[in-house]
Amino acid sequence: LKELGALLQLPVRSVQELDLSNNRLSSIGDDLARFEQLVDLRLDGNQIRDIELHYLPRLRHLSLAFNELQILPELMGLEHLEVLDLCDNNIGSRKTTRGESPDGWERLAHSPLHELRSLLLRPASAPLTAAPPSRPLSLARRPGPHPPQAPAS
């Protein structure tokens, strides 16, 4: 799966969990906002470089581990998000313009994440350059298996 295409034709009222892990998605646009009942979204093990999520009012768990994100995503309209997993991405590796940090803490700090309890960040290619937002967060290591394994040929 390289793009969402036909997935967007699903009956959106009933979808509460969506697992699109281990595909070849490289970009996630705001099309997923149609899934207003979504509580759990897993996008691990893709090739996501860009993500745009602006309105998923019930989303509590967002997992973006093992992707190619270079900057922390801006997550507007996810006020009930409790767990954000960004382990094993390339956060901090982008080239910056004046006034921006390489990891994008300013984007995350301006997102209204009032209920965020856990922000998971396992080894990145570059250290974060700024302190996390002033809310209490768990920066614990993500338990479980490491990068998704490719099928043996």
Side-chain angles (χ1 to χ4, degrees):
L1 183 66
K2 287 185 176 182
E3 54 187 57
L4 299 178
L7 177 69
L8 298 175
Q9 305 305 315
L10 288 174
V12 296
R13 288 186 190 158
S14 60
V15 179
Q16 292 186 348
E17 294 183 29
L18 187 57
D19 188 345
L20 296 171
S21 298
N22 303 314
N23 284 286
R24 290 177 287 174
L25 298 170
S26 60
S27 181
I28 301 294
D30 208 23
D31 295 330
L32 288 178
R34 299 183 46 198
F35 295 91
E36 292 182 17
Q37 300 301 314
L38 207 56
V39 174
D40 189 351
L41 178 57
R42 292 181 296 277
L43 297 164
D44 300 324
N46 282 288
Q47 300 162 359
I48 298 171
R49 289 184 285 286
D50 300 306
I51 186 161
E52 195 174 314
L53 294 175
H54 293 290
Y55 182 72
L56 291 169
R58 299 187 193 295
L59 193 68
R60 296 199 175 281
H61 183 267
L62 175 59
S63 187
L64 290 162
F66 304 104
N67 278 289
E68 298 175 12
L69 293 171
Q70 294 182 348
I71 183 172
L72 293 165
E74 185 175 347
L75 302 169
M76 304 303 282
L78 306 180
E79 61 270 1
H80 294 292
L81 192 66
E82 294 177 0
V83 177
L84 176 57
D85 187 345
L86 295 166
C87 292
D88 293 288
N89 276 280
N90 297 320
I91 293 173
S93 64
R94 75 171 175 152
K95 303 266 189 266
T96 63
T97 59
R98 197 172 211 174
E100 295 179 324
S101 64
D103 46 47
W105 269 117
E106 66 278 357
R107 296 178 88 192
L108 190 62
H110 293 109
S111 298
L113 301 174
H114 306 296
E115 295 185 28
L116 190 64
R117 296 179 295 135
S118 295
L119 174 60
L120 303 167
L121 297 166
R122 194 176 28 222
S125 60
L128 294 173
T129 59
S134 59
R135 296 184 285 281
L137 298 173
S138 167
L139 298 176
R141 290 183 159 269
R142 182 175 187 257
H146 294 296
Q149 301 296 318
S153 42

